[in-house]
């Protein structure tokens, strides 16, 4: 009997070491840089365009084997239609990604912004536990400040390019009327006291897409995060539980009889 439990303990230890090695390999092979980060703007009759946030000379990025961060501040394009007061993104193989933007509409028209940040991840699944949040602060400079959804959810969380969760869905409008006023609204999912929400397996990447329309002369600051964790299959969890019980029994039987009393 002792030999059987000893053999079982040895196999469980070997399996645990293999699992740990696999986890470390996945961690070390995870992304060191964002897959992409871009800002699309549309000023109606004034025109539109795209800003590659990673390809901008003013963008600063740092990374390590499991994640990193990027930032851009005080950037105004040559047309002068808007100013990116600040943009930051952080990501990690945990995995999570953030997409934070503070922008001012310098044009005479409402300006639509569409900002997407994509971070690569190691295989996470077969299901995921998802959580995320968004916070919007609208600042009025002239007249009445208005921020709307621009025809799509302001916040969209994506796994492998597919939308898995949204916040501030159409029709969403945020207004601030008194001169120089500010107003803030927040929304989240899978955040305490609510449990995480179940999502699909992540094979290659996760992303946050922010889309909104901002009134002329006004500013908006948006913070957002999307986080996932692996959820093991029920059978895997059951086998792990049985393995732990067997390992505990093996340890008990391996003790001298006097210590088991």
């Amino acid at each position: 009997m002792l030999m059987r439990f000893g053999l079982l303990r040895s196999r469980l230890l070997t399996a645990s070491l293999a699992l740990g090695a696999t986890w470390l390999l996945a961690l070390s092979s995870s992304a060191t840089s964002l897959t992409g980060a871009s800002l699309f703007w549309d000023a109606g009759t004034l025109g539109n365009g795209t800003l590659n946030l990673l390809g901008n000379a003013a963008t600063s990025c740092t990374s390590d084997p499991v994640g990193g961060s990027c930032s851009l501040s005080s950037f105004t394009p040559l047309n002068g239609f808007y100013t990116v007061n600040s943009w930051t993104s952080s990501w990690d193989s945990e995995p999570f990604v953030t997409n934070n933007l503070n922008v001012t509409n310098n044009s005479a028209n409402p300006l639509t912004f569409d900002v997407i940040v994509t971070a690569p991840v190691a295989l996470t699944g077969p299901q995921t536990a998802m959580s995320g949040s968004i916070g919007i602060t609208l600042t009025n400079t002239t007249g009445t400040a208005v921020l709307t959804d621009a025809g799509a959810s302001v916040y969209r969380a994506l796994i492998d390019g597919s939308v898995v969760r949204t916040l501030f869905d159409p029709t969403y409008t945020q207004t601030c009327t008194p001169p120089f006023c500010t107003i803030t609204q927040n929304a989240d999912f899978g955040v305490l006291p609510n449990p995480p929400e179940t999502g699909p397996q992540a094979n290659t990447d996760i992303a946050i897409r922010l889309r909104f329309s901002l009134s002329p002369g006004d500013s908006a600051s948006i913070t957002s995060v999307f986080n996932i964790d692996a959820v093991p299959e029920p059978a895997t969890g059951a086998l792990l539980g049985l393995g732990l019980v067997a390992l505990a029994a093996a340890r008990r039987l391996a003790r001298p009889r006097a210590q088991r009393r």
Side-chain angles (χ1 to χ4, degrees):
M1 178 66 71
L2 287 177
M3 289 181 62
R4 289 182 180 179
F5 276 111
L7 180 61
L8 175 61
R9 181 173 59 180
S10 176
R11 289 178 176 176
L12 285 171
L13 180 60
T14 301
S16 298
L17 291 174
L19 181 61
T22 301
W23 180 83
L24 288 175
L25 178 61
L27 189 64
S28 64
S29 63
S30 57
T32 58
S33 61
L34 291 175
T35 299
S38 61
L39 181 154
F40 172 80
W41 59 270
D42 187 347
T45 57
L46 297 178
N48 57 65
T50 301
L51 171 65
N52 181 356
L53 292 167
L54 296 183
N56 191 294
T59 300
S60 174
C61 293
T62 61
S63 62
D64 56 45
V66 296
S69 63
C70 286
S71 63
L72 172 67
S73 61
S74 303
F75 173 80
T76 303
L78 294 178
N79 56 39
F81 289 158
Y82 63 89
T83 296
V84 176
N85 303 308
S86 65
W87 168 78
T88 62
S89 177
S90 300
W91 66 96
D92 195 279
S93 59
E94 197 170 307
F96 77 88
V97 65
T98 67
N99 188 1
N100 306 319
L101 176 73
N102 186 309
V103 66
T104 299
N105 179 3
N106 301 326
S107 75
N109 290 1
L111 193 57
T112 296
F113 294 94
D114 198 335
V115 187
I116 183 167
V117 171
T118 305
V121 297
L123 181 67
T124 306
Q127 290 184 318
T128 51
M130 308 186 305
S131 61
S133 65
I134 181 175
I136 302 177
T137 298
L138 177 63
T139 301
N140 181 20
T141 303
T142 59
T144 298
V146 180
L147 186 148
T148 67
D149 56 66
S153 300
V154 178
Y155 171 104
R156 280 172 280 179
L158 299 88
I159 293 180
D160 297 334
S162 298
V163 176
V164 294
R165 193 60 161 86
T166 63
L167 293 170
F168 290 151
D169 302 323
T171 52
Y172 172 80
T173 300
Q174 187 174 338
T175 61
C176 192
T177 302
F180 307 107
C181 65
T182 61
I183 184 172
T184 299
Q185 292 186 358
N186 303 280
D188 59 61
F189 64 94
V191 177
L192 289 174
N194 298 314
E197 298 185 0
T198 301
Q201 175 172 288
N203 297 295
T204 58
D205 58 73
I206 58 175
I208 298 175
R209 185 172 183 176
L210 304 174
R211 180 178 172 86
F212 60 96
S213 178
L214 180 62
S215 52
D218 299 314
S219 300
S221 176
I222 299 181
T223 59
S224 63
V225 62
F226 179 42
N227 179 82
I228 63 172
D229 291 296
V231 177
E233 292 178 319
T236 303
L239 287 175
L240 179 60
L242 289 174
L244 292 175
V245 170
L247 183 59
R251 287 178 176 174
R252 185 175 184 276
L253 289 174
R255 297 175 189 164
R257 183 179 298 274
Q259 293 183 10
R260 284 187 266 148
R261 293 177 180 175

